[in-house]
Amino acid sequence: MRDIVFTRESGWIPNVIREDGELKLMLGAGADANHAPRTFSFSIEEAHLAVIREDLARHLLLWSAVLPLCDDAGTRGRLDENAAGALLDPILFSAPVDVDALFHRIRWDRGRLIAHGADIDLLERGQVCAAMRAATETSNGKRAQEYHANRRRAERGTVLAPLDAAILKYTGQYLHGATVPRRMPDAVDPALLPEVMRVIATAEQACAGMRIGRDPRRGKRATDKRDWDRMATTVDAAVRRAHPELVDDAVRTVSFLMCSEAVDRSRSTPMEDDEEAGGDRANFGGSTRKTILSFTDDKGVEQKWHLDSPRTATAEFWEFVGDRSAADNEVFTIEDEEMGEGIQLHFYADSIARITTVREGEGGSDPEYRVEYSLVDGIGGYRNLVSTFVRGGCAALEQHGPWMPDVAEFERARRRRDAQ
């Protein structure tokens, strides 16, 4: 049978329980293999309970010292109760100078004490007892997160000036650099907000008119990495030139914000080809204008497009690619059966083949095709080639070569490019 003897306002601070007549300190720490919280306990005496009840600082110091032992237990192991018990007297009964000396020798959870109000400067100097004079039962987890974030930056040699910190808080990346940035003006000291906005304005002006396009080769929501890198480089250069005092972390978070917002805009836009989206179909007249096209992938799935379809051929094709593209499905074909021509896109090799019918099959004989290969420069190159083929067929692709009919020659060209 278990009874709670003593507990504090915060449910995470260790409780004192009586279990089968024995006093124990019980705390939750870590998780098991199923991610459920683990609970540990070890025996204490009435004298320990008296100090724990009356002295919040010592209670928190004991908790901080026991937590690493819980971490050692992992997801299945047992708490080393002897090691935990050995901490009781030195932490709860010793003079402050001896407690400070103990904390120089053992592992302890610094963040836990900071979350409960410990003076960070005193902790850094090793004066743990003095640091706990301002301790509170309530926890401020954000305070500990800020401490750890600053410590990680310091380990990299980065020290934030007030404006650097304000920019990181504006983007929501002050605590976690991996967080997707967003605009949070309320998180910034009002006195620093105008300076932050000047930096943001510099970035916005630098990337005005730039966009990050979609990359259907990697799925419906994927975007072009080259476009991202181009925008990030442009913003970085502009911000560093206009505000040379900023540290790298602050500059990177601004370019990350600009790129993330550009990606959001791209993903909210229908998948249309840059040249055909919103255009007048009549402007693409002529005998080579495609009226019926067949899209296929490497799995044999086929989709037809007709001129009277509600969307452009390029938009329909890239939507088809976004839906079907995968690691084992990287070859897509657009075919105009009426004209006897088509293109085959090889995403795995950044290459394309244009295929034209030289002679129709007659009397049971197979038709004869001319196949020519060319290298492609990223998703932008693919978009341009697909759009060109849809408007003008294989003949219109001539200017986008060189086209190599010899497979061996093409493979040598591909290897040279990949080696660069």
Side-chain angles (χ1 to χ4, degrees), residues 163-164 167 194-203 205 235-248 250-251 254:
L163 180 57
D164 298 316
I167 291 171
E195 291 185 65
V196 171
M197 297 313 299
R198 279 194 287 273
V199 175
I200 299 299
T202 298
Q205 292 166 8
V235 173
D236 275 11
V239 172
R240 291 181 195 280
R241 187 167 53 249
H243 308 278
E245 74 281 5
L246 296 178
V247 300
D248 288 347
V251 175
V254 173

Side-chain angles (χ1 to χ4, degrees), residues 59-110:
H59 191 180
L60 294 172
L61 288 170
L62 178 61
W63 184 23
S64 172
V66 172
L67 280 171
L69 299 178
C70 298
D71 292 339
D72 291 344
T75 60
R76 296 184 180 181
R78 294 174 57 84
L79 175 67
D80 186 341
E81 295 185 27
N82 290 332
L87 295 170
L88 289 168
D89 288 358
I91 293 176
L92 298 180
F93 299 147
S94 297
V97 65
D98 294 325
V99 175
D100 291 348
L102 173 68
F103 273 68
H104 277 291
R105 302 192 302 270
I106 65 172
R107 292 176 299 144
W108 49 288
D109 190 322
R110 188 183 305 262

Side-chain angles (χ1 to χ4, degrees), residues 265-384:
R265 290 192 293 271
S266 177
R267 287 173 175 168
S268 64
T269 303
M271 189 154 342
E272 297 285 347
D273 179 82
D274 291 343
E275 297 181 44
E276 291 193 17
D280 182 352
R281 292 169 187 263
N283 292 336
F284 301 115
S287 61
T288 58
R289 176 64 178 166
K290 303 304 182 184
T291 57
I292 302 176
L293 293 173
S294 174
F295 309 146
T296 56
D297 66 2
D298 211 22
K299 302 292 185 180
V301 175
E302 182 179 15
Q303 178 177 313
K304 293 283 189 180
W305 175 85
H306 300 268
L307 185 59
D308 59 358
S309 296
R311 303 180 67 191
T312 64
T314 50
E316 289 282 0
F317 173 71
W318 289 118
E319 191 77 30
F320 178 71
V321 171
D323 287 336
R324 300 289 305 164
S325 183
D328 62 346
N329 195 20
E330 296 186 287
V331 177
F332 288 79
T333 301
I334 309 177
E335 184 179 1
D336 183 341
E337 296 180 7
E338 181 180 353
M339 297 296 295
E341 60 182 11
I343 54 174
Q344 189 175 70
L345 287 60
H346 314 126
F347 294 148
Y348 66 90
D350 284 332
S351 65
I352 188 172
R354 65 173 180 175
I355 306 163
T356 53
T357 303
V358 176
R359 180 179 56 82
E360 298 287 350
E362 297 177 356
S365 64
D366 292 332
E368 181 183 345
Y369 299 104
R370 180 172 65 251
V371 182
E372 301 165 291
Y373 302 90
S374 184
L375 301 175
V376 182
D377 187 17
I379 185 61
Y382 276 120
R383 283 189 176 279
N384 188 31

Side-chain angles (χ1 to χ4, degrees), residues 8-15 26-29 37-38 63 112 116:
R8 290 194 181 274
E9 181 177 337
S10 171
W12 285 105
I13 300 177
N15 298 324
M26 183 180 72
L27 68 156
R38 295 202 69 191
W63 184 23
R112 198 72 57 172
H116 282 272

Side-chain angles (χ1 to χ4, degrees), residues 131-171:
M132 297 306 294
R133 289 173 186 156
T136 61
E137 286 195 27
T138 56
S139 173
N140 182 353
K142 185 177 180 181
R143 186 170 187 259
Q145 290 177 328
E146 290 181 353
Y147 168 79
H148 286 303
N150 285 325
R151 187 168 181 136
R152 288 192 297 271
R153 281 188 280 263
E155 289 171 351
R156 293 188 279 109
T158 298
V159 178
L160 301 181
L163 180 57
D164 298 316
I167 291 171
L168 288 166
K169 290 177 180 178
Y170 178 84
T171 64

Side-chain angles (χ1 to χ4, degrees), residues 219-242:
K220 295 188 69 170
R221 292 182 55 79
T223 49
D224 189 349
K225 184 178 184 301
R226 289 190 182 186
D227 283 352
W228 177 294
D229 291 342
R230 189 177 302 113
M231 181 178 289
T233 299
T234 300
V235 173
D236 275 11
V239 172
R240 291 181 195 280
R241 187 167 53 249

